[in-house]
Amino acid sequence: MFSLKGKRAVVTGASRGIGQATAIALAEAGADVASFHLPDPENAAKTEAGIRKAGRRAMMVEGDVTRPEEVYAMAARVRDEWGGLDIWVNNAARLLVRPFLSMPEEEWHALLDCNLNGYYYGCRAALSVMVPAGYGRIINVSSITATQPIADLTAYIAAKGGVVGLTRALALEFAPTGVTINAVAPGAVETPLTASSYTPEVRRAYEERIAVRRLARPEDITGAVVFLASDEARYVCGHELVVDGGLHLNGNVGFPTSPPSSAGQER
């Protein structure tokens, strides 16, 4: 099950974190994987080594998801050199922790340009190849913060909420063409993107609230992506699969246990 043998995939932001782990996991499942990433030679080499260790072809391309011409060229290159494009994972993202009224407009637009418009460009690029072929899997990496907001992450959360809306709307429009579009919503994950934000205080708070009592590693997210990319997920359409260790379940605030005599009392 979940074999991707012979499939051709693109992962954006694949030189580090969730993107790197996803690229390697897709390769281990049998896919050839093209990585689209910002300049990061050392970590890109690690991604390439992981893909090749799995016995699959690797294509490492430096580029910026905020530049549509580069994103479209990436899809065309994979189609031309590998004969097609079956899987596209939109993962590249930025994180900005800034109080709303302290955020310059240019920071707002820059974050949405990467975290939302970059996904738009990726979906357009992938669909331009997949629709004529009558087959494809697009997986957008969203975030649990879109449904469990955190203060001072307004731009990030607005973008991730937009990604969910984009996923659902496109899933409905393109399902008849043979292309399924879904999302994976990670919770708190240990990545270079979050390294400076996860202070000891933040880490302790997460560890108390996450049901499995630890932050995720990038490898904890990849299984969901591999599933949605596989033929076993052929009937999953427009779904956001939450992978957060039970973080969204926990509303505990430390209520004391009620004494036995209080059972059944009216409010």
Side-chain angles (χ1 to χ4, degrees):
M1 295 181 70
F2 314 132
S3 171
L4 302 178
K5 186 176 181 179
K7 302 297 185 185
R8 297 143 300 190
V10 170
V11 181
T12 69
S15 64
R16 302 189 302 170
I18 293 173
Q20 183 179 73
T22 295
I24 294 171
L26 292 174
E28 290 173 342
D32 297 322
V33 184
S35 166
F36 189 68
H37 57 272
L38 292 173
D40 188 0
E42 182 178 352
N43 286 306
K46 293 178 182 178
T47 303
E48 181 175 13
I51 295 168
R52 294 194 185 281
K53 183 179 179 181
R56 306 311 305 177
R57 292 181 292 182
M59 182 188 299
M60 311 304 293
V61 179
E62 291 187 2
D64 187 339
V65 296
T66 68
R67 298 174 179 169
E69 68 280 2
E70 295 184 7
V71 181
Y72 302 151
M74 181 69 184
R77 179 176 173 182
V78 172
R79 177 199 62 203
D80 295 343
E81 295 189 17
W82 286 355
L85 173 60
D86 307 292
I87 301 161
W88 186 288
V89 182
N90 282 312
N91 164 77
R94 292 179 53 207
L95 181 65
L96 176 67
V97 183
R98 185 88 73 227
F100 183 69
L101 292 179
S102 301
M103 186 191 312
E105 289 184 8
E106 56 268 24
E107 285 190 343
W108 170 271
H109 290 296
L111 191 131
L112 264 68
D113 202 19
C114 176
N115 291 19
L116 181 56
N117 292 341
Y119 283 52
Y120 160 74
Y121 302 140
C123 287
R124 282 184 64 91
L127 288 165
S128 70
V129 179
M130 293 174 176
V131 171
Y135 178 89
R137 300 281 186 266
I138 297 175
I139 299 99
N140 295 322
V141 179
S142 56
S143 171
I144 190 63
T145 59
T147 52
Q148 191 180 63
I150 299 171
D152 301 335
L153 285 179
T154 310
Y156 182 84
I157 292 169
K160 291 300 187 180
V163 166
V164 177
L166 177 70
T167 299
R168 291 172 177 166
L170 292 181
L172 181 63
E173 182 174 350
F174 287 96
T177 72
V179 179
T180 61
I181 305 172
N182 294 285
V184 170
V189 187
E190 301 260 24
T191 72
L193 183 69
T194 58
S196 62
S197 301
Y198 288 176
T199 64
E201 293 76 18
V202 169
R203 189 178 299 277
R204 282 195 295 272
Y206 270 131
E207 290 171 350
E208 290 175 0
R209 294 185 61 85
I210 296 171
V212 302
R213 291 296 186 268
R214 67 170 177 84
L215 279 75
R217 297 178 291 270
E219 293 75 15
D220 293 321
I221 311 302
T222 60
V225 179
V226 170
F227 165 65
L228 292 173
S230 74
D231 286 340
E232 279 71 27
R234 58 188 171 273
Y235 207 63
V236 182
C237 179
H239 181 67
E240 184 185 33
L241 178 53
V242 174
V243 187
D244 71 346
L247 173 62
H248 74 286
L249 299 174
N250 194 350
N252 291 340
V253 293
F255 283 172
T257 303
S258 301
S261 61
S262 68
Q265 288 183 355
E266 293 182 358
R267 290 182 289 177

